[in-house]
Amino acid sequence: RRSQKRPQKEIIFIFTEGETEYNYFDQIKKELVRNHMRVSVELSRTKEKTAIGFIRYAREVLNHKLISPDKNDRIFCVFDMDTAIDEDINRAMKIMPRYMRLIVSNPDFELWFLLHYEYRKVALGNRESIERLREYEPDYRKPEVNMIYRSLKEKKETALENARLLRRYQSEEGHDLYSTAANPCTNVDEAVAYIYDHCRS
């Protein structure tokens, strides 16, 4: 490690390009990590709207903090696909260090919320995830999450399974899971499951 002052604990670093995603993972952090001494969860938000800019930002933040990730650390970059371009995603994947994991939501992060309530494999249009989510959670107002977080927590296992099934479906359809064609699709469950597995007291 480059910094000798860094505590010898596992770091889970989550970069987001949206306020909703930041607020959601902040709720998880408050729930799980408050009294947990073995794992440190760090959050950072960027206004970068391209995948390659996002990855470059994440690398710069880690360099600035003098964090040299080791085998026990995880860095998740949470990115929406609603305005993504396949070429940009491909370029980002090529420069992404092996210790980073790109977490995508296609078309947007609200798909992850929606999967807590229903399994859906029909493509979603702009803001359609939000509209369908409000059928279950009328009080939801982007980017606030605290009003619905308890309900999301109670239905977490359903969302984890639905996300896995959706990725399997998109793969069987021949779609690259990191392409705009894989709509709807998300792997947010991978980050959520990892955090819960490593931070549960």
Side-chain angles (χ1 to χ4, degrees):
R1 297 181 184 275
R2 281 178 286 167
S3 174
Q4 298 300 317
K5 296 181 180 180
R6 173 181 160 179
Q8 294 301 306
K9 61 166 62 176
E10 178 182 357
I11 290 181
I12 302 175
F13 219 124
I14 303 167
F15 293 92
T16 77
E17 52 103 12
E19 189 175 358
T20 304
E21 297 94 305
Y22 185 98
N23 291 342
Y24 172 72
F25 283 106
D26 191 46
Q27 288 287 336
I28 294 180
K29 177 180 178 178
K30 291 175 181 176
E31 173 195 346
L32 296 177
V33 187
R34 184 174 301 158
N35 298 314
H36 202 290
M37 302 302 294
R38 188 171 62 87
V39 178
S40 173
V41 175
E42 305 290 338
L43 299 172
S44 181
R45 182 181 169 224
T46 176
K47 294 183 179 180
E48 291 285 350
K49 294 301 181 183
T50 65
I52 196 165
F54 191 112
I55 298 303
R56 286 171 176 162
Y57 169 82
R59 294 174 67 171
E60 288 173 4
V61 169
L62 294 175
N63 287 334
H64 179 72
K65 290 180 175 288
L66 298 180
I67 294 175
S68 181
D70 68 16
K71 64 181 181 179
N72 294 319
D73 297 332
R74 291 295 181 275
I75 289 83
F76 297 110
C77 297
V78 186
F79 188 76
D80 280 0
M81 299 283 283
D82 53 352
T83 60
I85 300 172
D86 288 336
E87 181 181 357
D88 174 50
I89 296 290
N90 292 335
R91 290 174 62 205
M93 295 290 286
K94 289 178 180 178
I95 70 164
M96 189 168 60
R98 66 179 182 277
Y99 54 79
M100 285 186 182
R101 179 70 171 164
L102 188 60
I103 301 296
V104 298
S105 296
N106 190 352
D108 50 39
F109 195 73
E110 275 75 17
L111 169 65
W112 167 243
F113 293 165
L114 183 61
L115 290 175
H116 289 69
Y117 303 91
E118 67 175 53
Y119 173 72
R120 178 187 175 88
K121 57 186 181 182
V122 178
L124 290 159
N126 186 35
R127 295 188 63 84
E128 191 174 353
S129 299
I130 298 176
E131 294 169 2
R132 293 190 65 84
L133 176 63
R134 285 179 179 156
E135 294 179 10
Y136 302 96
E137 295 289 350
D139 293 331
Y140 175 67
R141 294 294 180 270
K142 184 181 182 71
E144 300 303 323
V145 177
N146 59 314
M147 294 289 290
I148 67 170
Y149 182 72
R150 177 176 293 183
S151 180
L152 295 175
K153 178 182 174 182
E154 292 172 351
K155 298 173 176 62
K156 175 174 63 73
E157 295 302 322
T158 297
L160 292 173
E161 179 64 16
N162 282 342
R164 287 192 290 265
L165 290 174
L166 196 50
R167 284 199 304 278
R168 181 188 303 171
Y169 166 76
Q170 293 291 359
S171 292
E172 291 173 349
E173 290 294 301
H175 294 148
D176 180 345
L177 300 181
Y178 287 100
S179 73
T180 55
N183 177 353
C185 190
T186 185
N187 62 338
V188 172
D189 58 299
E190 295 178 4
V192 172
Y194 188 90
I195 296 169
Y196 269 90
D197 288 346
H198 287 72
C199 295
R200 186 182 287 112
S201 299

